[in-house]
Amino acid sequence: MKLYGIKNCNSVKKAMLALEQFNFEFLDIKKINKNILDLWLKQKSFEELVNTAGTTAKKLILTKEKLKSLSKEELETLILENPSVIKRPVIEFKNQIFVGKEYEKLL
């Protein structure tokens, strides 16, 4: 299991506590690359990955409507340049991707 997040993020802290019975590897979400993003996008949409209610999205004025108006390439660039816009945590487990509170399905 791989858990991507930011150490001081409350959502990530809650997930780490809830998943402590699993042997997971913690990875800094700010260090993702195009290959990792492409892997996630095979299972999740941009709408599922991006937290439009978060601080980073608000700074970028990234609303749900704006998200829908951007091309795939623009969205990829935006995420790779601003990985904090991703809903956290993102968990890779048994070839599945879980975003945000979806990890609760594993408990």
Side-chain angles (χ1 to χ4, degrees), residues 9 31 35 40 44 46 56 67 70 85-86 90 96 102:
C9 171
K31 295 180 181 174
N35 292 340
W40 296 350
K44 299 293 179 184
F46 285 105
T56 304
L67 195 63
L70 297 172
V85 80
I86 299 169
V90 176
Q96 287 189 284
E102 288 181 340

Side-chain angles (χ1 to χ4, degrees), residues 29 37 39-53 62-64 67-68 75 79 83-91 96-103 105:
I29 207 163
L37 182 59
L39 175 75
W40 296 350
L41 289 170
K42 287 180 181 170
Q43 292 185 39
K44 299 293 179 184
S45 68
F46 285 105
E47 288 82 6
E48 291 172 297
L49 272 181
V50 174
N51 179 9
T52 54
L62 184 61
T63 61
K64 289 179 183 179
L67 195 63
K68 290 175 186 170
L75 286 164
I79 290 172
S84 297
V85 80
I86 299 169
K87 201 175 289 179
R88 298 180 294 271
V90 176
I91 295 166
Q96 287 189 284
I97 305 300
F98 300 87
V99 179
K101 289 189 175 187
E102 288 181 340
Y103 70 83
K105 296 174 185 175

